[in-house]
Amino acid sequence: METIKGYVDHIVYRNEANGYTVFQLEQKEEQLTCVGELSYLEEGELVELDGHFTVHKMYGSQFQVETSRVCSPTDALSIEKYLGSGAIRGLREATARKIVEAFGEETFRIIEEEPERLAEIKGISERKAREIAEQLEEKREMRQSMLYMQKYGISPKLAAKIFQYYGNRVYRILEENPYQMADKVEGVGFKTVDEIAMRAGIHVDSDYRIRCGMVYILLQGVGEGHIYLREEVLLYRTEQLLGVVIEQPGLHLQELSVEKKIVVKNVGDETRVYTSAYYQMEWNVAGMLKALDIRFEITEEVLRQRLEEVEVCEDMKLDQMQWEAVRQAVRKGVLVLTGGPGTGKTTTINAMIHFFRREGLDICLAAPTGRAAKRMTEATGYEAQTIHRLLEINGDPEKGARGFQRNEEQPLETDVVIVDEMSMVDLPLMSALLKAMVTGTRLILVGDCDQLPSVGPGSVLKDIVDSGCYAVVKLTQIFRQMMESDIIVNAHKINQGLPVRLDNKSKDFFFLKRMEPELVMRVILALVQEKLPAYVQAKPFDIQVLTPTRKGVLGVEKLNEMLQKYLNPPSEKKKEKLQGDRIFREGDKVMQIKNNYQMPWEIRTSKGMTVDKGEGIFNGDMGIIKEIPVYGDEIVIEFEDGKLVRYSYELLDELELAYAITIHKSQGSEYPAVVIPLLNGPRQLYHRNLLYTAVTRARRCVTLVGSEAVFDQMVQNGNEQRRNTSLTERIRELEEWKTGV
């Protein structure tokens, strides 16, 4: 570690997001390039830097800054350099020189204590003098506070956010209760604030720490899909997190309730603890559904006549339950259409669309993901959008902002909304959709209740069906042409817990018995690289490996490492970016693993002309790395729907390789062929509807590789992980109030 000192002569580059700064440091008569996270530095400042010299392959010798200190300029030359550097808006070098000539080394004291004296300088009015003093004080306070926060391990980027929110109160906050920052400052979570509090000497059994820990555990539960946690689970997890025994849990829960951060409800022998936001969200969803569920009058004779016309004109034949689904869609404000693969949901949706269009009604088709929306478009012939795009994103709904332009103030202008793949829709997204709908708009929810629940919190489709308060039509008949597919037939057997023949006499459903992980991996590679592409007439990249787990030999991480090595090997023609222990390479198949509502994208023609642009890339979107420029700090990805997106290096943690993905991530998608490794795993994870979801992702071929015993155990294990939700109860309570029961 070396220490150097000098003036910040010129800031070459600064990334405002993370504070990464490249600047020229002036030392006597030479200049040195320095780099580091130094968002608070200004041109002209005198700084002392600790770090080490490095040699960049393009830019040569640089000083990598580890820590820094801003020194107060004391001599006249230093003061003049600082004032004339541009750090003070509107103060030019010539004026700075005049000020220093007038006041010399007393300049800073004069500005701070007698700012009106600056008006003695020609060209400086009293107003300008006050502005200079205010800017100098503001920058001094911010700089001092950011340097102060460094000793708590707070990065410059985060320190700037904290100071922006609290100003000079930050010192008291850090000393008394840093945990309140978790509620107030974006980017400060419990883990971060707990480390700060430890450095600040806050006791491990502090009331603030315990309450903040409780809220953190509730939010962790939300991340697992739960709307609430049982009190005993909340307390146990909080104690494990904090490493303390909570002496008076009731008092902490009461205090959090008074602060309106949580809601505590006693249901029978169970005490449930909700975050206030999600408790209210369930009530709102229940209320908005009730408001939409009005009856539309039409005689049976007229309805039958018009539906028969649709059958004739569109050359389709509906069975009894499909007829009933269309009837209910016409007459009810809210309808749920559910059923497994091959039962005719798509045909029924098409019948509804044609019926409503003949009535002159406007229809919006939507799905939770881009893949699902694309499939819906292909199946119906009408444009379908993601729900996010339908609602016109303009912010980040997950951060509490009014994230959609379409809401209760500017609702959707349509008569019918049909949402496919509803099992993937979580509670926040359902809430946003319902806010954008007005009474008189029909809502038709289509999905398979036996699929895995949404990645986000809640179990919306299942809860609505279980409430028994809305029209639900379940299609159960497998159509004759679908009976020829063992994918369809075996999926239904799996769903019903019935034995499945694994004799490999099928044309589209295979089981390759391998008991060693290394052999399973070898078979997977052969299938993806050689066997299946020719069999299903697709590219290797179109064959999707679906695995139950992230970790382990047959988890996502190991499989991607192996598949990348053979499907997209290193080459002098392919540029790479090392991110932690992962390599991203041009040509790699990747997936976005979190919603990014502000990510800009554009769609271009083959000649490079932009034909569409927008914002938002979402959890589960898949694409190919097209370019990793030699110069710059970003990679270019083309997603499946043609969207080109530029990812800065700091956003690469939102991406992962996607040659293999978890079964959960495959929801709403369909692939020409899927390969599913199955060896021993945790019983609570290896359940029936996980297997059912994986098998139903394949269009032409399913190949399972592994243990028949594990396959049979999954078929028999109908105990999927239960989610703590209460939307069913909220819906029933509203129904009881309405009927006076």
Side-chain angles (χ1 to χ4, degrees):
M1 189 81 73
E2 296 185 52
T3 300
I4 60 175
K5 190 172 182 178
Y7 299 101
V8 180
D9 181 73
H10 174 58
I11 293 177
V12 179
Y13 168 79
R14 173 170 286 157
N15 185 323
E16 297 298 339
N18 60 16
Y20 180 78
T21 304
V22 180
F23 62 97
Q24 294 292 322
L25 187 77
E26 184 179 328
Q27 289 184 299
K28 296 181 180 178
E29 295 183 358
E30 64 176 353
Q31 287 196 343
L32 175 66
T33 301
C34 301
V35 297
E37 290 190 5
L38 302 154
S39 60
Y40 51 84
L41 281 190
E42 300 283 358
E43 292 180 351
E45 290 184 323
L46 179 64
V47 292
E48 194 171 63
L49 310 173
D50 301 324
H52 56 274
F53 285 94
T54 62
V55 178
H56 191 279
K57 62 182 180 182
M58 284 178 53
Y59 303 116
S61 178
Q62 296 181 339
F63 189 77
Q64 180 70 49
V65 181
E66 299 295 334
T67 59
S68 64
R69 293 166 296 283
V70 177
C71 307
S72 297
T74 53
D75 61 278
L77 180 60
S78 300
I79 295 171
E80 182 183 328
K81 274 182 171 292
Y82 177 70
L83 292 178
S85 67
I88 306 297
R89 292 188 305 275
L91 194 60
R92 300 180 182 277
E93 290 182 20
T95 307
R97 188 177 304 114
K98 290 179 183 178
I99 293 172
V100 175
E101 286 174 354
F103 303 116
E105 294 180 3
E106 289 283 291
T107 296
F108 278 160
R109 187 193 64 76
I110 296 293
I111 294 175
E112 291 171 4
E113 298 177 9
E114 305 173 75
E116 67 279 358
R117 290 189 59 189
L118 290 179
E120 299 172 12
I121 308 299
K122 186 178 180 180
I124 300 180
S125 64
E126 289 187 11
R127 178 182 173 185
K128 184 70 174 177
R130 285 195 301 272
E131 288 178 357
I132 292 170
E134 287 169 3
Q135 284 190 64
L136 192 68
E137 180 65 15
E138 178 186 317
K139 290 178 182 298
R140 183 176 67 86
E141 289 176 353
M142 180 177 181
R143 187 166 60 243
Q144 286 178 346
S145 71
M146 292 178 75
L147 291 171
Y148 174 79
M149 283 186 268
Q150 278 188 0
K151 72 179 184 181
Y152 293 102
I154 302 173
S155 70
K157 176 185 175 183
L158 199 53
K161 286 184 179 180
I162 293 171
F163 182 82
Q164 187 175 14
Y165 188 87
Y166 288 109
N168 284 330
R169 291 183 296 142
V170 70
Y171 303 101
R172 181 171 57 81
I173 298 299
L174 287 171
E175 290 172 4
E176 296 178 5
N177 177 21
Y179 289 98
Q180 65 179 275
M181 292 192 297
D183 298 327
K184 307 294 185 183
V185 183
E186 181 185 332
V188 180
F190 174 79
K191 294 286 189 181
T192 301
V193 82
D194 201 38
E195 290 179 10
I196 294 170
M198 293 302 104
R199 291 190 176 98
I202 304 294
H203 289 203
V204 294
D205 60 351
S206 157
D207 289 348
Y208 296 129
R209 184 171 187 251
I210 290 171
R211 290 168 195 163
C212 190
M214 284 180 166
V215 174
Y216 173 75
I217 291 298
L218 285 175
L219 292 175
Q220 289 289 99
V222 168
E224 296 166 10
H226 302 301
I227 302 302
Y228 67 85
L229 292 179
R230 298 196 313 276
E231 181 183 8
E232 60 270 24
V233 173
L234 171 62
L235 296 179
Y236 174 77
R237 290 190 181 183
T238 305
E239 288 182 341
Q240 294 297 304
L241 171 73
L242 303 180
V244 300
V245 175
I246 301 175
E247 299 291 349
Q248 296 178 299
L251 289 178
H252 293 297
L253 293 174
Q254 183 180 353
E255 185 64 30
L256 288 169
S257 298
V258 170
E259 294 174 4
K260 297 188 178 344
K261 292 181 180 178
I262 67 169
V263 173
V264 181
K265 280 190 72 72
N266 294 313
V267 181
D269 297 331
E270 184 176 82
T271 300
R272 301 174 177 177
V273 186
Y274 301 75
T275 64
S276 295
Y278 281 94
Y279 178 77
Q280 191 59 50
M281 199 179 293
E282 279 196 333
W283 271 115
N284 290 343
V285 167
M288 290 185 289
L289 279 170
K290 176 57 63 180
L292 285 177
D293 193 31
I294 64 174
R295 183 175 177 83
F296 296 88
E297 297 298 333
I298 183 172
T299 66
E300 179 64 25
E301 182 181 351
V302 171
L303 194 156
R304 175 175 289 276
Q305 177 187 339
R306 293 177 183 174
L307 189 48
E308 286 174 348
E309 290 173 0
V310 168
E311 283 188 308
V312 171
C313 293
E314 303 301 329
D315 191 24
M316 60 173 61
K317 184 64 179 174
L318 306 180
D319 70 10
Q320 182 180 349
M321 292 309 295
Q322 290 174 312
W323 263 77
E324 180 61 20
V326 179
R327 280 196 191 96
Q328 297 284 13
V330 173
R331 287 182 167 147
K332 297 291 182 70
V334 177
L335 167 70
V336 176
L337 174 64
T338 184
T343 56
K345 292 195 299 294
T346 299
T347 300
T348 309
I349 293 171
N350 279 324
M352 293 174 182
I353 292 171
H354 291 300
F355 187 101
F356 289 132
R357 286 183 66 85
R358 291 169 74 88
E359 298 294 304
L361 301 182
D362 290 327
I363 307 167
C364 285
L365 305 182
T369 67
R371 274 177 164 263
K374 184 178 180 182
R375 286 176 57 200
M376 197 178 188
T377 299
E378 293 168 351
T380 63
Y382 295 96
E383 182 187 2
Q385 305 175 71
T386 63
I387 299 173
H388 291 89
R389 196 166 190 192
L390 175 70
L391 298 179
E392 299 176 23
I393 291 174
N394 67 349
D396 185 345
E398 291 182 355
K399 292 176 181 173
R402 295 187 64 79
F404 298 108
Q405 290 186 43
R406 295 294 182 175
N407 49 43
E408 55 269 68
E409 296 173 4
Q410 189 179 355
L412 294 167
E413 297 171 2
T414 188
D415 301 303
V416 183
V417 175
I418 303 177
V419 183
D420 199 6
E421 295 289 354
M422 259 304 297
S423 63
M424 298 179 64
V425 176
D426 60 21
L427 187 68
L429 188 55
M430 186 65 173
S431 176
L433 175 62
L434 292 175
K435 284 179 180 178
M437 296 184 65
V438 295
T439 302
T441 306
R442 290 176 173 86
L443 176 62
I444 300 165
L445 308 175
V446 184
D448 186 346
C449 290
D450 297 313
Q451 298 269 1
L452 291 169
S454 56
V455 173
S459 187
V460 175
L461 180 64
K462 187 175 184 298
D463 285 356
I464 293 173
V465 172
D466 289 348
S467 74
C469 296
Y470 294 98
V472 177
V473 177
K474 184 170 185 177
L475 305 179
T476 56
Q477 179 183 336
I478 304 176
F479 284 87
R480 184 180 304 169
Q481 63 269 33
M482 294 299 181
M483 292 292 289
E484 298 175 4
S485 167
D486 286 320
I487 296 175
I488 301 295
V489 173
N490 289 339
H492 283 272
K493 286 182 178 179
I494 291 168
N495 195 34
Q496 296 166 32
L498 300 175
V500 176
R501 293 177 62 185
L502 303 176
D503 56 10
N504 289 335
K505 292 182 179 180
S506 168
K507 293 181 180 179
D508 60 6
F509 195 98
F510 304 98
F511 196 101
L512 305 181
K513 185 176 178 180
R514 301 290 188 277
M515 302 306 293
E516 298 295 328
E518 293 75 14
L519 292 177
V520 173
M521 293 182 77
R522 205 175 300 167
V523 170
I524 289 172
L525 180 61
L527 288 167
V528 174
Q529 194 171 31
E530 302 167 15
K531 307 292 185 183
L532 286 174
Y535 189 71
V536 299
Q537 297 181 326
K539 299 175 182 177
F541 273 40
D542 296 327
I543 313 301
Q544 190 61 55
V545 178
L546 304 179
T547 180
T549 61
R550 288 196 57 81
K551 303 293 183 181
V553 180
L554 296 177
V556 165
E557 295 172 5
K558 290 293 184 183
L559 286 171
N560 272 320
E561 189 179 316
M562 181 269 291
L563 290 167
Q564 181 194 43
K565 178 180 178 181
Y566 290 99
L567 296 180
N568 190 33
S571 165
E572 292 182 358
K573 298 180 180 179
K574 298 175 184 175
K575 292 182 281 296
E576 299 179 351
K577 167 61 181 172
L578 179 64
Q579 181 76 3
D581 58 353
R582 300 176 300 167
I583 293 175
F584 289 109
R585 184 175 296 133
E586 288 179 340
D588 272 337
K589 183 179 180 181
V590 293
M591 172 184 279
Q592 173 81 7
I593 58 172
K594 63 180 289 188
N595 291 334
N596 186 325
Y597 299 93
Q598 281 84 40
M599 179 70 83
W601 54 262
E602 60 182 8
I603 297 176
R604 299 177 184 171
T605 65
S606 57
K607 295 184 178 180
M609 182 181 297
T610 300
V611 293
D612 194 10
K613 61 175 58 177
E615 292 184 344
I617 298 296
F618 305 107
N619 192 352
D621 288 351
M622 296 174 72
I624 301 292
I625 297 178
K626 303 299 289 184
E627 183 184 5
I628 303 178
V630 174
Y631 305 105
D633 57 353
E634 63 184 14
I635 66 176
V636 182
I637 297 173
E638 182 176 0
F639 286 89
E640 290 172 314
D641 47 7
K643 294 176 181 174
L644 280 175
V645 180
R646 294 181 177 275
Y647 280 77
S648 64
Y649 288 164
E650 66 189 44
L651 290 178
L652 293 186
D653 60 347
E654 295 185 8
L655 290 172
E656 63 181 28
L657 295 174
Y659 301 99
I661 63 175
T662 62
I663 296 169
H664 278 86
K665 289 287 189 184
S666 72
Q667 287 175 268
S669 300
E670 191 178 68
Y671 311 95
V674 299
V675 180
I676 308 166
L678 284 184
L679 285 180
N680 289 324
R683 180 173 173 78
Q684 70 269 24
L685 179 63
Y686 279 49
H687 49 72
R688 183 185 302 161
N689 72 340
L690 187 80
L691 183 59
Y692 173 71
T693 300
V695 167
T696 53
R697 298 308 92 205
R699 192 160 55 242
R700 299 178 209 150
C701 182
V702 169
T703 307
L704 299 109
V705 187
S707 164
E708 289 185 18
V710 172
F711 178 89
D712 291 337
Q713 288 166 13
M714 291 183 74
V715 173
Q716 296 305 313
N717 182 14
N719 300 318
E720 70 261 28
Q721 289 177 299
R722 176 179 173 270
R723 286 192 167 186
N724 297 333
T725 68
S726 47
L727 179 59
T728 292
E729 296 164 32
R730 303 286 88 84
I731 291 171
R732 287 175 178 169
E733 287 176 46
L734 284 180
E735 186 65 24
E736 289 169 3
W737 290 347
K738 179 182 177 183
T739 57
V741 177

